[in-house]
Amino acid sequence: MAKTADDLREEVLALPAQERARIASDLLASLDSEAVDEVELDELWSAETQRRAAMLESGDVGTLTWHGRTAGHDRTAPEPPPNLGADRQP
């Protein structure tokens, strides 16, 4: 009888962490090795950046400074990296 994906998942989850990590790494590497259409990927990212820019220009979304983002969330937030958000207004 052939094993289903659920059967394999249960078996793998029963393995020690190091074995699971090795299998996870192998699975991820197998996905990365599949051919990626770079032109299509570039077109998708270009469309996404244009969509986001249009949202900013229309006022549908805004920007935040580092301090504006962390204000009220975590009083122990670290200082932002140099120049991050220094040229942006909330």
Side-chain angles (χ1 to χ4, degrees):
M1 174 166 97
K3 290 185 178 184
T4 66
D6 287 335
D7 293 335
L8 289 171
R9 181 180 177 277
E10 285 182 32
E11 285 185 40
V12 169
L13 289 175
L15 294 171
Q18 191 171 11
E19 298 273 334
R20 292 192 319 266
R22 184 176 57 82
I23 290 171
S25 177
D26 291 346
L27 288 171
L28 290 172
S30 75
L31 294 173
D32 288 341
S33 67
E34 292 184 15
V36 175
D37 183 349
E38 294 292 330
V39 172
E40 181 182 8
L41 191 58
D42 286 345
E43 289 172 357
L44 290 170
W45 273 115
S46 178
E48 178 63 14
T49 56
Q50 289 174 11
R51 182 186 72 80
R52 292 182 186 192
M55 289 174 69
L56 280 168
E57 290 173 7
S58 71
D60 288 342
V61 298
T63 61
L64 291 174
T65 64
W66 176 267
H67 291 291
R69 169 65 179 93
T70 58
H73 295 289
D74 183 3
R75 299 287 180 213
T76 61
E79 288 296 312
N83 298 324
L84 180 64
D87 59 338
R88 297 190 176 199
Q89 298 297 320

mmCIF file with all atom_site columns, all heavy atoms in Angstrom, residues 45-70:
data_model
loop_
_atom_site.group_PDB
_atom_site.id
_atom_site.type_symbol
_atom_site.label_atom_id
_atom_site.label_alt_id
_atom_site.label_comp_id
_atom_site.label_asym_id
_atom_site.label_entity_id
_atom_site.label_seq_id
_atom_site.pdbx_PDB_ins_code
_atom_site.Cartn_x
_atom_site.Cartn_y
_atom_site.Cartn_z
_atom_site.occupancy
_atom_site.B_iso_or_equiv
_atom_site.pdbx_formal_charge
_atom_site.auth_seq_id
_atom_site.auth_comp_id
_atom_site.auth_asym_id
_atom_site.auth_atom_id
_atom_site.pdbx_PDB_model_num
ATOM 1   N N   . TRP A 1 45 ? 7.163  41.290 -9.807  1.00 0.00 ? 45 TRP A N   1
ATOM 2   C CA  . TRP A 1 45 ? 7.682  42.265 -8.843  1.00 0.00 ? 45 TRP A CA  1
ATOM 3   C C   . TRP A 1 45 ? 7.469  43.682 -9.347  1.00 0.00 ? 45 TRP A C   1
ATOM 4   O O   . TRP A 1 45 ? 7.161  44.597 -8.578  1.00 0.00 ? 45 TRP A O   1
ATOM 5   C CB  . TRP A 1 45 ? 9.158  42.015 -8.542  1.00 0.00 ? 45 TRP A CB  1
ATOM 6   C CG  . TRP A 1 45 ? 9.343  41.034 -7.449  1.00 0.00 ? 45 TRP A CG  1
ATOM 7   C CD1 . TRP A 1 45 ? 9.910  39.795 -7.538  1.00 0.00 ? 45 TRP A CD1 1
ATOM 8   C CD2 . TRP A 1 45 ? 8.943  41.180 -6.077  1.00 0.00 ? 45 TRP A CD2 1
ATOM 9   N NE1 . TRP A 1 45 ? 9.873  39.171 -6.320  1.00 0.00 ? 45 TRP A NE1 1
ATOM 10  C CE2 . TRP A 1 45 ? 9.286  40.003 -5.395  1.00 0.00 ? 45 TRP A CE2 1
ATOM 11  C CE3 . TRP A 1 45 ? 8.312  42.194 -5.368  1.00 0.00 ? 45 TRP A CE3 1
ATOM 12  C CZ2 . TRP A 1 45 ? 9.035  39.817 -4.046  1.00 0.00 ? 45 TRP A CZ2 1
ATOM 13  C CZ3 . TRP A 1 45 ? 8.061  42.009 -4.015  1.00 0.00 ? 45 TRP A CZ3 1
ATOM 14  C CH2 . TRP A 1 45 ? 8.422  40.825 -3.376  1.00 0.00 ? 45 TRP A CH2 1
ATOM 15  N N   . SER A 1 46 ? 7.619  43.896 -10.631 1.00 0.00 ? 46 SER A N   1
ATOM 16  C CA  . SER A 1 46 ? 7.401  45.226 -11.198 1.00 0.00 ? 46 SER A CA  1
ATOM 17  C C   . SER A 1 46 ? 5.945  45.656 -11.000 1.00 0.00 ? 46 SER A C   1
ATOM 18  O O   . SER A 1 46 ? 5.680  46.791 -10.588 1.00 0.00 ? 46 SER A O   1
ATOM 19  C CB  . SER A 1 46 ? 7.752  45.218 -12.690 1.00 0.00 ? 46 SER A CB  1
ATOM 20  O OG  . SER A 1 46 ? 7.503  46.480 -13.245 1.00 0.00 ? 46 SER A OG  1
ATOM 21  N N   . ALA A 1 47 ? 5.020  44.744 -11.255 1.00 0.00 ? 47 ALA A N   1
ATOM 22  C CA  . ALA A 1 47 ? 3.597  45.059 -11.061 1.00 0.00 ? 47 ALA A CA  1
ATOM 23  C C   . ALA A 1 47 ? 3.313  45.353 -9.591  1.00 0.00 ? 47 ALA A C   1
ATOM 24  O O   . ALA A 1 47 ? 2.552  46.271 -9.271  1.00 0.00 ? 47 ALA A O   1
ATOM 25  C CB  . ALA A 1 47 ? 2.731  43.899 -11.555 1.00 0.00 ? 47 ALA A CB  1
ATOM 26  N N   . GLU A 1 48 ? 3.937  44.595 -8.695  1.00 0.00 ? 48 GLU A N   1
ATOM 27  C CA  . GLU A 1 48 ? 3.707  44.815 -7.259  1.00 0.00 ? 48 GLU A CA  1
ATOM 28  C C   . GLU A 1 48 ? 4.258  46.164 -6.813  1.00 0.00 ? 48 GLU A C   1
ATOM 29  O O   . GLU A 1 48 ? 3.610  46.892 -6.058  1.00 0.00 ? 48 GLU A O   1
ATOM 30  C CB  . GLU A 1 48 ? 4.338  43.688 -6.440  1.00 0.00 ? 48 GLU A CB  1
ATOM 31  C CG  . GLU A 1 48 ? 4.199  43.839 -4.951  1.00 0.00 ? 48 GLU A CG  1
ATOM 32  C CD  . GLU A 1 48 ? 2.768  43.813 -4.441  1.00 0.00 ? 48 GLU A CD  1
ATOM 33  O OE1 . GLU A 1 48 ? 1.849  43.422 -5.188  1.00 0.00 ? 48 GLU A OE1 1
ATOM 34  O OE2 . GLU A 1 48 ? 2.549  44.199 -3.269  1.00 0.00 ? 48 GLU A OE2 1
ATOM 35  N N   . THR A 1 49 ? 5.444  46.522 -7.270  1.00 0.00 ? 49 THR A N   1
ATOM 36  C CA  . THR A 1 49 ? 6.006  47.820 -6.871  1.00 0.00 ? 49 THR A CA  1
ATOM 37  C C   . THR A 1 49 ? 5.179  48.963 -7.438  1.00 0.00 ? 49 THR A C   1
ATOM 38  O O   . THR A 1 49 ? 4.980  49.980 -6.771  1.00 0.00 ? 49 THR A O   1
ATOM 39  C CB  . THR A 1 49 ? 7.482  47.957 -7.279  1.00 0.00 ? 49 THR A CB  1
ATOM 40  O OG1 . THR A 1 49 ? 7.608  47.751 -8.681  1.00 0.00 ? 49 THR A OG1 1
ATOM 41  C CG2 . THR A 1 49 ? 8.369  46.976 -6.530  1.00 0.00 ? 49 THR A CG2 1
ATOM 42  N N   . GLN A 1 50 ? 4.671  48.804 -8.653  1.00 0.00 ? 50 GLN A N   1
ATOM 43  C CA  . GLN A 1 50 ? 3.812  49.837 -9.235  1.00 0.00 ? 50 GLN A CA  1
ATOM 44  C C   . GLN A 1 50 ? 2.512  49.961 -8.442  1.00 0.00 ? 50 GLN A C   1
ATOM 45  O O   . GLN A 1 50 ? 2.020  51.069 -8.214  1.00 0.00 ? 50 GLN A O   1
ATOM 46  C CB  . GLN A 1 50 ? 3.523  49.524 -10.693 1.00 0.00 ? 50 GLN A CB  1
ATOM 47  C CG  . GLN A 1 50 ? 4.732  49.703 -11.584 1.00 0.00 ? 50 GLN A CG  1
ATOM 48  C CD  . GLN A 1 50 ? 4.484  49.253 -13.009 1.00 0.00 ? 50 GLN A CD  1
ATOM 49  O OE1 . GLN A 1 50 ? 3.360  48.980 -13.401 1.00 0.00 ? 50 GLN A OE1 1
ATOM 50  N NE2 . GLN A 1 50 ? 5.553  49.170 -13.797 1.00 0.00 ? 50 GLN A NE2 1
ATOM 51  N N   . ARG A 1 51 ? 1.953  48.825 -8.024  1.00 0.00 ? 51 ARG A N   1
ATOM 52  C CA  . ARG A 1 51 ? 0.724  48.837 -7.233  1.00 0.00 ? 51 ARG A CA  1
ATOM 53  C C   . ARG A 1 51 ? 0.952  49.565 -5.912  1.00 0.00 ? 51 ARG A C   1
ATOM 54  O O   . ARG A 1 51 ? 0.163  50.411 -5.498  1.00 0.00 ? 51 ARG A O   1
ATOM 55  C CB  . ARG A 1 51 ? 0.252  47.401 -6.962  1.00 0.00 ? 51 ARG A CB  1
ATOM 56  C CG  . ARG A 1 51 ? -1.062 47.300 -6.190  1.00 0.00 ? 51 ARG A CG  1
ATOM 57  C CD  . ARG A 1 51 ? -1.385 45.854 -5.833  1.00 0.00 ? 51 ARG A CD  1
ATOM 58  N NE  . ARG A 1 51 ? -0.515 45.344 -4.791  1.00 0.00 ? 51 ARG A NE  1
ATOM 59  C CZ  . ARG A 1 51 ? -0.684 45.585 -3.488  1.00 0.00 ? 51 ARG A CZ  1
ATOM 60  N NH1 . ARG A 1 51 ? -1.672 46.341 -3.070  1.00 0.00 ? 51 ARG A NH1 1
ATOM 61  N NH2 . ARG A 1 51 ? 0.155  45.076 -2.598  1.00 0.00 ? 51 ARG A NH2 1
ATOM 62  N N   . ARG A 1 52 ? 2.060  49.258 -5.261  1.00 0.00 ? 52 ARG A N   1
ATOM 63  C CA  . ARG A 1 52 ? 2.362  49.900 -3.977  1.00 0.00 ? 52 ARG A CA  1
ATOM 64  C C   . ARG A 1 52 ? 2.621  51.398 -4.147  1.00 0.00 ? 52 ARG A C   1
ATOM 65  O O   . ARG A 1 52 ? 2.181  52.200 -3.328  1.00 0.00 ? 52 ARG A O   1
ATOM 66  C CB  . ARG A 1 52 ? 3.559  49.224 -3.319  1.00 0.00 ? 52 ARG A CB  1
ATOM 67  C CG  . ARG A 1 52 ? 3.259  47.811 -2.860  1.00 0.00 ? 52 ARG A CG  1
ATOM 68  C CD  . ARG A 1 52 ? 4.447  47.192 -2.181  1.00 0.00 ? 52 ARG A CD  1
ATOM 69  N NE  . ARG A 1 52 ? 4.198  45.797 -1.878  1.00 0.00 ? 52 ARG A NE  1
ATOM 70  C CZ  . ARG A 1 52 ? 4.982  45.080 -1.082  1.00 0.00 ? 52 ARG A CZ  1
ATOM 71  N NH1 . ARG A 1 52 ? 6.039  45.625 -0.506  1.00 0.00 ? 52 ARG A NH1 1
ATOM 72  N NH2 . ARG A 1 52 ? 4.706  43.811 -0.859  1.00 0.00 ? 52 ARG A NH2 1
ATOM 73  N N   . ALA A 1 53 ? 3.326  51.767 -5.196  1.00 0.00 ? 53 ALA A N   1
ATOM 74  C CA  . ALA A 1 53 ? 3.588  53.188 -5.450  1.00 0.00 ? 53 ALA A CA  1
ATOM 75  C C   . ALA A 1 53 ? 2.284  53.933 -5.708  1.00 0.00 ? 53 ALA A C   1
ATOM 76  O O   . ALA A 1 53 ? 2.087  55.053 -5.212  1.00 0.00 ? 53 ALA A O   1
ATOM 77  C CB  . ALA A 1 53 ? 4.538  53.347 -6.640  1.00 0.00 ? 53 ALA A CB  1
ATOM 78  N N   . ALA A 1 54 ? 1.381  53.318 -6.447  1.00 0.00 ? 54 ALA A N   1
ATOM 79  C CA  . ALA A 1 54 ? 0.085  53.953 -6.721  1.00 0.00 ? 54 ALA A CA  1
ATOM 80  C C   . ALA A 1 54 ? -0.709 54.142 -5.437  1.00 0.00 ? 54 ALA A C   1
ATOM 81  O O   . ALA A 1 54 ? -1.377 55.170 -5.256  1.00 0.00 ? 54 ALA A O   1
ATOM 82  C CB  . ALA A 1 54 ? -0.708 53.114 -7.726  1.00 0.00 ? 54 ALA A CB  1
ATOM 83  N N   . MET A 1 55 ? -0.634 53.177 -4.530  1.00 0.00 ? 55 MET A N   1
ATOM 84  C CA  . MET A 1 55 ? -1.339 53.289 -3.254  1.00 0.00 ? 55 MET A CA  1
ATOM 85  C C   . MET A 1 55 ? -0.771 54.448 -2.427  1.00 0.00 ? 55 MET A C   1
ATOM 86  O O   . MET A 1 55 ? -1.512 55.178 -1.781  1.00 0.00 ? 55 MET A O   1
ATOM 87  C CB  . MET A 1 55 ? -1.252 51.980 -2.476  1.00 0.00 ? 55 MET A CB  1
ATOM 88  C CG  . MET A 1 55 ? -2.079 50.860 -3.084  1.00 0.00 ? 55 MET A CG  1
ATOM 89  S SD  . MET A 1 55 ? -1.835 49.269 -2.261  1.00 0.00 ? 55 MET A SD  1
ATOM 90  C CE  . MET A 1 55 ? -2.597 49.602 -0.680  1.00 0.00 ? 55 MET A CE  1
ATOM 91  N N   . LEU A 1 56 ? 0.549  54.615 -2.457  1.00 0.00 ? 56 LEU A N   1
ATOM 92  C CA  . LEU A 1 56 ? 1.170  55.733 -1.746  1.00 0.00 ? 56 LEU A CA  1
ATOM 93  C C   . LEU A 1 56 ? 0.750  57.061 -2.360  1.00 0.00 ? 56 LEU A C   1
ATOM 94  O O   . LEU A 1 56 ? 0.382  57.999 -1.657  1.00 0.00 ? 56 LEU A O   1
ATOM 95  C CB  . LEU A 1 56 ? 2.692  55.609 -1.776  1.00 0.00 ? 56 LEU A CB  1
ATOM 96  C CG  . LEU A 1 56 ? 3.322  54.659 -0.779  1.00 0.00 ? 56 LEU A CG  1
ATOM 97  C CD1 . LEU A 1 56 ? 4.793  54.425 -1.114  1.00 0.00 ? 56 LEU A CD1 1
ATOM 98  C CD2 . LEU A 1 56 ? 3.181  55.197 0.632   1.00 0.00 ? 56 LEU A CD2 1
ATOM 99  N N   . GLU A 1 57 ? 0.810  57.140 -3.682  1.00 0.00 ? 57 GLU A N   1
ATOM 100 C CA  . GLU A 1 57 ? 0.474  58.387 -4.374  1.00 0.00 ? 57 GLU A CA  1
ATOM 101 C C   . GLU A 1 57 ? -0.983 58.780 -4.184  1.00 0.00 ? 57 GLU A C   1
ATOM 102 O O   . GLU A 1 57 ? -1.305 59.964 -4.090  1.00 0.00 ? 57 GLU A O   1
ATOM 103 C CB  . GLU A 1 57 ? 0.808  58.265 -5.858  1.00 0.00 ? 57 GLU A CB  1
ATOM 104 C CG  . GLU A 1 57 ? 2.302  58.228 -6.128  1.00 0.00 ? 57 GLU A CG  1
ATOM 105 C CD  . GLU A 1 57 ? 2.640  57.933 -7.579  1.00 0.00 ? 57 GLU A CD  1
ATOM 106 O OE1 . GLU A 1 57 ? 1.724  57.891 -8.426  1.00 0.00 ? 57 GLU A OE1 1
ATOM 107 O OE2 . GLU A 1 57 ? 3.831  57.732 -7.858  1.00 0.00 ? 57 GLU A OE2 1
ATOM 108 N N   . SER A 1 58 ? -1.868 57.795 -4.113  1.00 0.00 ? 58 SER A N   1
ATOM 109 C CA  . SER A 1 58 ? -3.296 58.099 -3.961  1.00 0.00 ? 58 SER A CA  1
ATOM 110 C C   . SER A 1 58 ? -3.665 58.430 -2.524  1.00 0.00 ? 58 SER A C   1
ATOM 111 O O   . SER A 1 58 ? -4.760 58.920 -2.256  1.00 0.00 ? 58 SER A O   1
ATOM 112 C CB  . SER A 1 58 ? -4.130 56.904 -4.426  1.00 0.00 ? 58 SER A CB  1
ATOM 113 O OG  . SER A 1 58 ? -4.013 55.827 -3.515  1.00 0.00 ? 58 SER A OG  1
ATOM 114 N N   . GLY A 1 59 ? -2.769 58.151 -1.606  1.00 0.00 ? 59 GLY A N   1
ATOM 115 C CA  . GLY A 1 59 ? -3.058 58.406 -0.202  1.00 0.00 ? 59 GLY A CA  1
ATOM 116 C C   . GLY A 1 59 ? -3.780 57.263 0.492   1.00 0.00 ? 59 GLY A C   1
ATOM 117 O O   . GLY A 1 59 ? -4.170 57.372 1.653   1.00 0.00 ? 59 GLY A O   1
ATOM 118 N N   . ASP A 1 60 ? -3.977 56.136 -0.213  1.00 0.00 ? 60 ASP A N   1
ATOM 119 C CA  . ASP A 1 60 ? -4.626 54.976 0.398   1.00 0.00 ? 60 ASP A CA  1
ATOM 120 C C   . ASP A 1 60 ? -3.799 54.405 1.539   1.00 0.00 ? 60 ASP A C   1
ATOM 121 O O   . ASP A 1 60 ? -4.347 53.816 2.473   1.00 0.00 ? 60 ASP A O   1
ATOM 122 C CB  . ASP A 1 60 ? -4.870 53.876 -0.641  1.00 0.00 ? 60 ASP A CB  1
ATOM 123 C CG  . ASP A 1 60 ? -5.973 54.244 -1.620  1.00 0.00 ? 60 ASP A CG  1
ATOM 124 O OD1 . ASP A 1 60 ? -6.763 55.149 -1.308  1.00 0.00 ? 60 ASP A OD1 1
ATOM 125 O OD2 . ASP A 1 60 ? -6.032 53.616 -2.693  1.00 0.00 ? 60 ASP A OD2 1
ATOM 126 N N   . VAL A 1 61 ? -2.498 54.549 1.443   1.00 0.00 ? 61 VAL A N   1
ATOM 127 C CA  . VAL A 1 61 ? -1.591 54.106 2.500   1.00 0.00 ? 61 VAL A CA  1
ATOM 128 C C   . VAL A 1 61 ? -0.588 55.211 2.757   1.00 0.00 ? 61 VAL A C   1
ATOM 129 O O   . VAL A 1 61 ? -0.422 56.118 1.942   1.00 0.00 ? 61 VAL A O   1
ATOM 130 C CB  . VAL A 1 61 ? -0.848 52.792 2.138   1.00 0.00 ? 61 VAL A CB  1
ATOM 131 C CG1 . VAL A 1 61 ? -1.816 51.641 1.945   1.00 0.00 ? 61 VAL A CG1 1
ATOM 132 C CG2 . VAL A 1 61 ? 0.023  52.974 0.917   1.00 0.00 ? 61 VAL A CG2 1
ATOM 133 N N   . GLY A 1 62 ? 0.061  55.140 3.887   1.00 0.00 ? 62 GLY A N   1
ATOM 134 C CA  . GLY A 1 62 ? 1.077  56.127 4.226   1.00 0.00 ? 62 GLY A CA  1
ATOM 135 C C   . GLY A 1 62 ? 2.353  55.439 4.664   1.00 0.00 ? 62 GLY A C   1
ATOM 136 O O   . GLY A 1 62 ? 2.476  54.224 4.587   1.00 0.00 ? 62 GLY A O   1
ATOM 137 N N   . THR A 1 63 ? 3.275  56.238 5.107   1.00 0.00 ? 63 THR A N   1
ATOM 138 C CA  . THR A 1 63 ? 4.535  55.701 5.605   1.00 0.00 ? 63 THR A CA  1
ATOM 139 C C   . THR A 1 63 ? 4.681  56.081 7.073   1.00 0.00 ? 63 THR A C   1
ATOM 140 O O   . THR A 1 63 ? 4.000  56.971 7.566   1.00 0.00 ? 63 THR A O   1
ATOM 141 C CB  . THR A 1 63 ? 5.732  56.272 4.818   1.00 0.00 ? 63 THR A CB  1
ATOM 142 O OG1 . THR A 1 63 ? 5.755  57.688 4.970   1.00 0.00 ? 63 THR A OG1 1
ATOM 143 C CG2 . THR A 1 63 ? 5.647  55.910 3.341   1.00 0.00 ? 63 THR A CG2 1
ATOM 144 N N   . LEU A 1 64 ? 5.565  55.382 7.737   1.00 0.00 ? 64 LEU A N   1
ATOM 145 C CA  . LEU A 1 64 ? 5.861  55.653 9.135   1.00 0.00 ? 64 LEU A CA  1
ATOM 146 C C   . LEU A 1 64 ? 7.358  55.744 9.333   1.00 0.00 ? 64 LEU A C   1
ATOM 147 O O   . LEU A 1 64 ? 8.118  55.070 8.645   1.00 0.00 ? 64 LEU A O   1
ATOM 148 C CB  . LEU A 1 64 ? 5.347  54.514 10.035  1.00 0.00 ? 64 LEU A CB  1
ATOM 149 C CG  . LEU A 1 64 ? 3.849  54.350 10.187  1.00 0.00 ? 64 LEU A CG  1
ATOM 150 C CD1 . LEU A 1 64 ? 3.542  53.096 10.988  1.00 0.00 ? 64 LEU A CD1 1
ATOM 151 C CD2 . LEU A 1 64 ? 3.256  55.557 10.877  1.00 0.00 ? 64 LEU A CD2 1
ATOM 152 N N   . THR A 1 65 ? 7.758  56.566 10.291  1.00 0.00 ? 65 THR A N   1
ATOM 153 C CA  . THR A 1 65 ? 9.160  56.566 10.687  1.00 0.00 ? 65 THR A CA  1
ATOM 154 C C   . THR A 1 65 ? 9.382  55.381 11.612  1.00 0.00 ? 65 THR A C   1
ATOM 155 O O   . THR A 1 65 ? 8.429  54.740 12.074  1.00 0.00 ? 65 THR A O   1
ATOM 156 C CB  . THR A 1 65 ? 9.520  57.855 11.454  1.00 0.00 ? 65 THR A CB  1
ATOM 157 O OG1 . THR A 1 65 ? 8.759  57.873 12.665  1.00 0.00 ? 65 THR A OG1 1
ATOM 158 C CG2 . THR A 1 65 ? 9.253  59.090 10.609  1.00 0.00 ? 65 THR A CG2 1
ATOM 159 N N   . TRP A 1 66 ? 10.617 55.089 11.908  1.00 0.00 ? 66 TRP A N   1
ATOM 160 C CA  . TRP A 1 66 ? 10.940 54.007 12.844  1.00 0.00 ? 66 TRP A CA  1
ATOM 161 C C   . TRP A 1 66 ? 10.257 54.255 14.189  1.00 0.00 ? 66 TRP A C   1
ATOM 162 O O   . TRP A 1 66 ? 9.613  53.381 14.741  1.00 0.00 ? 66 TRP A O   1
ATOM 163 C CB  . TRP A 1 66 ? 12.449 53.906 13.025  1.00 0.00 ? 66 TRP A CB  1
ATOM 164 C CG  . TRP A 1 66 ? 12.863 52.892 14.039  1.00 0.00 ? 66 TRP A CG  1
ATOM 165 C CD1 . TRP A 1 66 ? 13.102 53.113 15.352  1.00 0.00 ? 66 TRP A CD1 1
ATOM 166 C CD2 . TRP A 1 66 ? 13.069 51.498 13.823  1.00 0.00 ? 66 TRP A CD2 1
ATOM 167 N NE1 . TRP A 1 66 ? 13.456 51.941 15.985  1.00 0.00 ? 66 TRP A NE1 1
ATOM 168 C CE2 . TRP A 1 66 ? 13.442 50.932 15.053  1.00 0.00 ? 66 TRP A CE2 1
ATOM 169 C CE3 . TRP A 1 66 ? 12.988 50.670 12.711  1.00 0.00 ? 66 TRP A CE3 1
ATOM 170 C CZ2 . TRP A 1 66 ? 13.725 49.578 15.202  1.00 0.00 ? 66 TRP A CZ2 1
ATOM 171 C CZ3 . TRP A 1 66 ? 13.276 49.328 12.862  1.00 0.00 ? 66 TRP A CZ3 1
ATOM 172 C CH2 . TRP A 1 66 ? 13.641 48.804 14.097  1.00 0.00 ? 66 TRP A CH2 1
ATOM 173 N N   . HIS A 1 67 ? 10.374 55.451 14.684  1.00 0.00 ? 67 HIS A N   1
ATOM 174 C CA  . HIS A 1 67 ? 9.770  55.764 15.989  1.00 0.00 ? 67 HIS A CA  1
ATOM 175 C C   . HIS A 1 67 ? 8.247  55.748 15.917  1.00 0.00 ? 67 HIS A C   1
ATOM 176 O O   . HIS A 1 67 ? 7.586  55.341 16.860  1.00 0.00 ? 67 HIS A O   1
ATOM 177 C CB  . HIS A 1 67 ? 10.283 57.103 16.517  1.00 0.00 ? 67 HIS A CB  1
ATOM 178 C CG  . HIS A 1 67 ? 11.724 57.050 16.907  1.00 0.00 ? 67 HIS A CG  1
ATOM 179 N ND1 . HIS A 1 67 ? 12.169 56.344 17.993  1.00 0.00 ? 67 HIS A ND1 1
ATOM 180 C CD2 . HIS A 1 67 ? 12.824 57.587 16.329  1.00 0.00 ? 67 HIS A CD2 1
ATOM 181 C CE1 . HIS A 1 67 ? 13.477 56.454 18.081  1.00 0.00 ? 67 HIS A CE1 1
ATOM 182 N NE2 . HIS A 1 67 ? 13.907 57.203 17.082  1.00 0.00 ? 67 HIS A NE2 1
ATOM 183 N N   . GLY A 1 68 ? 7.680  56.183 14.808  1.00 0.00 ? 68 GLY A N   1
ATOM 184 C CA  . GLY A 1 68 ? 6.245  56.129 14.645  1.00 0.00 ? 68 GLY A CA  1
ATOM 185 C C   . GLY A 1 68 ? 5.733  54.700 14.630  1.00 0.00 ? 68 GLY A C   1
ATOM 186 O O   . GLY A 1 68 ? 4.656  54.397 15.130  1.00 0.00 ? 68 GLY A O   1
ATOM 187 N N   . ARG A 1 69 ? 6.508  53.818 14.072  1.00 0.00 ? 69 ARG A N   1
ATOM 188 C CA  . ARG A 1 69 ? 6.131  52.401 13.989  1.00 0.00 ? 69 ARG A CA  1
ATOM 189 C C   . ARG A 1 69 ? 6.181  51.738 15.353  1.00 0.00 ? 69 ARG A C   1
ATOM 190 O O   . ARG A 1 69 ? 5.362  50.903 15.685  1.00 0.00 ? 69 ARG A O   1
ATOM 191 C CB  . ARG A 1 69 ? 7.049  51.685 13.006  1.00 0.00 ? 69 ARG A CB  1
ATOM 192 C CG  . ARG A 1 69 ? 6.972  50.181 12.999  1.00 0.00 ? 69 ARG A CG  1
ATOM 193 C CD  . ARG A 1 69 ? 5.590  49.725 12.528  1.00 0.00 ? 69 ARG A CD  1
ATOM 194 N NE  . ARG A 1 69 ? 5.511  48.293 12.497  1.00 0.00 ? 69 ARG A NE  1
ATOM 195 C CZ  . ARG A 1 69 ? 5.068  47.536 13.498  1.00 0.00 ? 69 ARG A CZ  1
ATOM 196 N NH1 . ARG A 1 69 ? 4.678  48.086 14.616  1.00 0.00 ? 69 ARG A NH1 1
ATOM 197 N NH2 . ARG A 1 69 ? 5.020  46.232 13.381  1.00 0.00 ? 69 ARG A NH2 1
ATOM 198 N N   . THR A 1 70 ? 7.166  52.089 16.156  1.00 0.00 ? 70 THR A N   1
ATOM 199 C CA  . THR A 1 70 ? 7.350  51.404 17.435  1.00 0.00 ? 70 THR A CA  1
ATOM 200 C C   . THR A 1 70 ? 6.694  52.125 18.600  1.00 0.00 ? 70 THR A C   1
ATOM 201 O O   . THR A 1 70 ? 6.599  51.561 19.682  1.00 0.00 ? 70 THR A O   1
ATOM 202 C CB  . THR A 1 70 ? 8.852  51.217 17.737  1.00 0.00 ? 70 THR A CB  1
ATOM 203 O OG1 . THR A 1 70 ? 9.485  52.487 17.755  1.00 0.00 ? 70 THR A OG1 1
ATOM 204 C CG2 . THR A 1 70 ? 9.504  50.317 16.692  1.00 0.00 ? 70 THR A CG2 1
#
